[in-house]
Amino acid sequence: MTIIDILQSTRTISYEFYPPRTADGIPAVFRAMERLAPYNPDFISVTYGAGGTTRSFTEEIAIQAQQETDCTVMAHITCAGQSQEQLDGVLGRLQDASIENLIALRGDAPVGESDFVAAESGFAHATDLMKHISAKFNFCLAGACYPEGHVSSPDLVTDMEHTKWKVEAGAKFLITQLFYENDDFHDFVKRAKAAGIEVPIIAGVLPVLSTAQIRRFTQLCGAKIPPKLEAILQQYSNDDNSMREAGIEYATEQVQDLWQKGVQGIHFYALNRSYSISKILDNLNLPGYIPK
């Protein structure tokens, strides 16, 4: 089933998993999926590694999940390190495996490199990749968006122009980068509508697990840490267990506000873990998203 069809009839809860560094780690990814399955996700996604690494595991996990679970699967694909011929090979195998949903991204530069360089005969921008996919394949495409602006964008106006290009290139819905200030998300939705973007916008949420983790992630993606969260990070900077519990409380309040204000979906960045997300959904007790 396509995710855009799901979004036409309901607001969604979804989870994102990432491939391990080695094949030995694949069973752990499926154990995390199994632990969250009772919470009835509307779809799950499987990422690419940084710089396009571990992409073979992304393909393997996505196809296995499609074939062996009841979940609707969205695979990730990026421009990083792949020619058009290589991309078409991946896309063909995903389509042959009956995967209908795909999020197309530029991807990050390889580790140790500051600038993104397209592979020979490859693509330098997500919009170019999306146009290529739309012309040659039959996927329900998603695009990424950035409530606080992409780190490479000079300003929010330019960033919104790039977001609109993704929709024009075939994105049926958008999923945001992580954020910790809901006002930034609500403002982004208003600006998107003013720019003529009418596709559903799903909010990406990453529950805080540790102070070091969230400082590293926000530095990489350019998301800010609001004062309330900063105080919590400082309080539990040396206590990961307490920080995880405080992160659950913070994310519960964040998701509750988003849900009450009509968000079209919540996409949890699961990091191949289940505890925090299950606790958040237990706290919220949302109809349809509680264990059977």
Side-chain angles (χ1 to χ4, degrees):
M1 187 172 190
T2 66
I3 294 169
I4 191 60
D5 284 341
I6 298 171
L7 284 163
Q8 299 305 317
S9 59
T10 189
R11 295 193 284 169
T12 59
I13 295 290
S14 53
Y15 317 131
E16 182 166 298
F17 301 91
Y18 67 89
R21 293 179 183 273
T22 67
D24 291 343
I26 290 176
V29 180
F30 281 94
R31 287 195 293 271
M33 290 183 190
E34 289 170 4
R35 288 192 293 269
L36 287 170
Y39 290 86
N40 309 310
D42 294 290
F43 67 93
I44 62 172
S45 72
V46 186
T47 74
Y48 262 37
T53 59
T54 70
R55 57 177 171 255
S56 63
F57 295 151
T58 297
E59 186 179 333
E60 179 180 346
I61 292 168
I63 290 173
Q64 186 176 342
Q66 176 71 25
Q67 295 174 343
E68 298 181 7
T69 74
D70 294 330
C71 293
T72 295
V73 176
M74 180 177 73
H76 287 223
I77 194 162
T78 75
C79 303
Q82 298 185 93
S83 66
Q84 288 189 34
E85 183 178 3
Q86 290 171 315
L87 286 163
D88 285 351
V90 176
L91 292 163
R93 290 189 293 273
L94 292 173
Q95 188 164 272
D96 289 345
S98 299
I99 290 176
E100 299 180 88
N101 303 285
L102 194 72
I103 183 166
L105 310 157
R106 187 199 70 175
D108 299 322
V111 176
E113 298 183 20
S114 57
D115 297 323
F116 183 91
V117 178
E120 185 176 354
S121 82
F123 301 104
H125 304 286
T127 50
D128 297 328
L129 175 58
M130 296 170 89
K131 290 176 183 177
H132 176 79
I133 294 170
S134 296
K136 296 188 67 174
F137 296 90
N138 186 29
F139 289 101
C140 173
L141 277 178
C145 59
Y146 305 87
E148 300 168 71
H150 191 279
V151 289
S152 299
S153 292
D155 52 60
L156 294 181
V157 173
T158 302
D159 187 77
M160 188 59 70
E161 289 176 354
H162 292 170
T163 303
K164 190 171 183 179
W165 292 347
K166 293 178 183 179
V167 175
E168 292 170 348
K172 302 299 184 185
F173 62 99
L174 301 169
I175 300 177
T176 76
Q177 177 62 275
L178 64 92
F179 59 92
Y180 291 102
E181 176 55 75
N182 282 7
D183 286 348
D184 290 325
F185 173 81
H186 298 312
D187 178 66
F188 175 82
V189 172
K190 290 178 183 177
R191 290 188 292 109
K193 289 181 178 179
I197 295 173
E198 299 180 353
V199 300
I201 300 173
I202 294 174
V205 173
L206 173 63
V208 177
L209 297 177
S210 74
T211 297
Q213 169 229 43
I214 209 59
R215 292 204 189 283
R216 182 173 69 256
F217 283 7
T218 53
Q219 184 177 26
L220 287 171
C221 72
K224 68 172 177 282
I225 298 174
K228 180 180 177 179
L229 181 57
E230 177 63 39
I232 297 170
L233 294 178
Q234 292 185 20
Q235 181 178 359
Y236 300 117
S237 60
N238 297 312
D239 185 348
D240 286 351
N241 287 335
S242 295
M243 184 66 253
R244 182 177 67 171
E245 297 303 317
I248 290 169
E249 182 178 352
Y250 191 93
T252 297
E253 294 177 1
Q254 190 178 10
V255 173
Q256 187 171 42
D257 172 77
L258 292 166
W259 203 261
Q260 289 176 343
K261 292 180 179 177
V263 69
Q264 291 168 294
I266 300 290
H267 189 62
F268 286 104
Y269 296 111
L271 302 182
N272 295 352
R273 303 187 185 187
S274 58
Y275 176 82
S276 292
I277 295 170
S278 63
K279 290 296 182 183
I280 293 164
L281 291 172
D282 285 341
N283 291 342
L284 293 169
N285 197 29
L286 301 175
Y289 302 105
I290 54 177
K292 295 179 180 178

